[in-house]
Amino acid sequence: MRFSSITSGFLALVGLSNAASLTQVSNFGSNPSGARFYIYVPDRLASNPAIITAVHYCSGTANAFYTGSPYARLADTHGFIVIYPESPNSGGCWDVSSNAAYTRNSGANSHAIVNMVNWTIERYSADRNRVFLAGLSSGAMMTNVLAATYPDVFKAASAYAGVPAGCFYTGTVAGWNNTCANGQSITTQEHWAQTARNMYPGYTGARPKMMIYHGSADDIIYPRNFNETMKQWAGVLGYTYGSPRQTIANSPSAPYTKYVYGDDLVGIYGTGITHNIQINGALDLEWFGITGQPAATSSASGPTTTPVPSSTLATSVRPTSTSSAAPVETTPAGCTTPKWGQCGGQGWNGCTVCAAGSTCTFGNNWYSQCL
């Protein structure tokens, strides 16, 4: 997988000590997949600390994400622990494509990461009710998989430039799903939601709240994946995709727009932002409740009618059926697509006529939009 350009540095492997440094832990429980576990514990650790599990991008390492993301520096201020898993797979990508990855306690990378969390809770008396996830690119894919497969472990997550849980399915370990990556895995809210629910069948408890980031100029994990990921979590968390409660321009800053569905789901979409999206650690800490107020309730502005972006790119998805591609809906007779909605593309069976005032405009072979 080809993801971030962040470079990795040298990491000295040392034993656990009182000095704040990135440290490898070798024995943390069952780990058939061979994932590696690094941890950062600040010198001034809070009582019953929170945990952020920070999952690196493809080609990355624990040390690269430690040095290239803000979480360790924020931990020094706020006293939480950061877990940095490291992929054992060729190319440094996470297994978000095998059957085992989507199965609880299966021995896959996802299971190893949960065992890192459990070890940390026991070792440092960390707060089980304040365990969070943040991931970039392949790490964002893993973030969504973990949120679906272990919703009882993680309370909130931030996913940067990822794909819906299940989208990258190939049936192989750390496989590449080009259909998903290129934005061709498009399906309904309910189908996406059921794909996530199937990763923990019968579970009826609380689900993690989700904040989803993506850029409109991402040509590695195409931006259509933002829409599909938002569909998935809207369905899981009880919202209606395409009907956010608030749409806030230039939030958290230009050129981003924030789509607030409610206290449990927020999307942040950056116009002109590439796959090299920047991590907003301060906003993540607000979202997790470590600082300030939750991001979903921080603005006093009322609802708007600004539409959710219909981007032209996307990543992969695991269908709930046995077919290799997600199903599409049948085109209703005489239907029209509102401005900003999809109106065409290879495999598209939705509405092809745009509402008055907009024209169906070619984006790429798989996506045309009413503009």
Side-chain angles (χ1 to χ4, degrees), residues 200-253:
Y200 191 179
Y203 178 73
T204 59
R207 299 274 179 174
K209 50 190 249 178
M210 304 296 298
M211 186 151 62
I212 308 302
Y213 299 80
H214 219 110
S216 71
D218 191 331
D219 61 358
I220 301 297
I221 302 301
Y222 280 29
R224 177 74 206 190
N225 281 304
F226 174 83
N227 304 64
E228 301 308 299
T229 306
M230 293 299 292
K231 281 183 190 177
Q232 181 170 68
W233 294 114
V236 169
L237 296 168
Y239 302 105
T240 299
Y241 171 74
S243 300
R245 189 174 73 194
Q246 294 174 289
T247 300
I248 309 170
N250 299 318
S251 180
S253 62

Side-chain angles (χ1 to χ4, degrees), residues 47-210:
S47 177
N48 303 121
I51 298 171
I52 294 179
T53 305
V55 193
H56 68 70
Y57 46 86
C58 197
S59 81
T61 63
N63 185 56
F65 211 41
Y66 164 69
T67 58
S69 66
Y71 301 115
R73 295 186 296 277
L74 291 167
D76 288 334
T77 299
H78 299 285
F80 58 84
I81 295 170
V82 190
I83 291 172
Y84 294 95
E86 186 171 282
S87 170
N89 304 314
S90 176
C93 305
W94 292 102
D95 176 13
V96 291
S97 54
S98 71
N99 285 307
Y102 308 144
T103 305
R104 286 173 66 87
N105 305 325
S106 64
N109 293 168
S110 50
H111 183 208
I113 292 172
V114 169
N115 285 340
M116 297 174 197
V117 170
N118 290 332
W119 182 94
T120 302
I121 291 171
E122 295 300 322
R123 174 68 173 79
Y124 293 99
S125 299
D127 188 344
R128 289 186 179 274
N129 293 314
R130 294 195 300 151
V131 178
F132 309 112
L133 274 166
L136 172 64
S137 194
S138 181
M141 299 180 193
M142 177 58 80
T143 293
N144 286 320
V145 167
L146 286 166
T149 311
Y150 297 91
D152 51 336
V153 174
F154 301 99
K155 304 307 176 184
S158 292
Y160 290 81
V163 304
C167 183
F168 233 68
Y169 178 72
T170 63
T172 61
V173 173
W176 175 263
N177 186 320
N178 204 51
T179 299
C180 178
N182 289 346
Q184 300 169 51
S185 295
I186 301 170
T187 186
T188 64
Q189 170 175 309
E190 180 51 33
H191 184 220
W192 277 127
Q194 192 58 49
T195 298
R197 294 187 200 108
N198 287 347
M199 296 183 192
Y200 191 179
Y203 178 73
T204 59
R207 299 274 179 174
K209 50 190 249 178
M210 304 296 298

Side-chain angles (χ1 to χ4, degrees), residues 242-249 257-262 296 299-307:
S243 300
R245 189 174 73 194
Q246 294 174 289
T247 300
I248 309 170
T257 299
K258 184 186 294 182
Y259 299 91
V260 180
Y261 280 77
S299 174
S301 60
T304 72
T305 57
T306 304

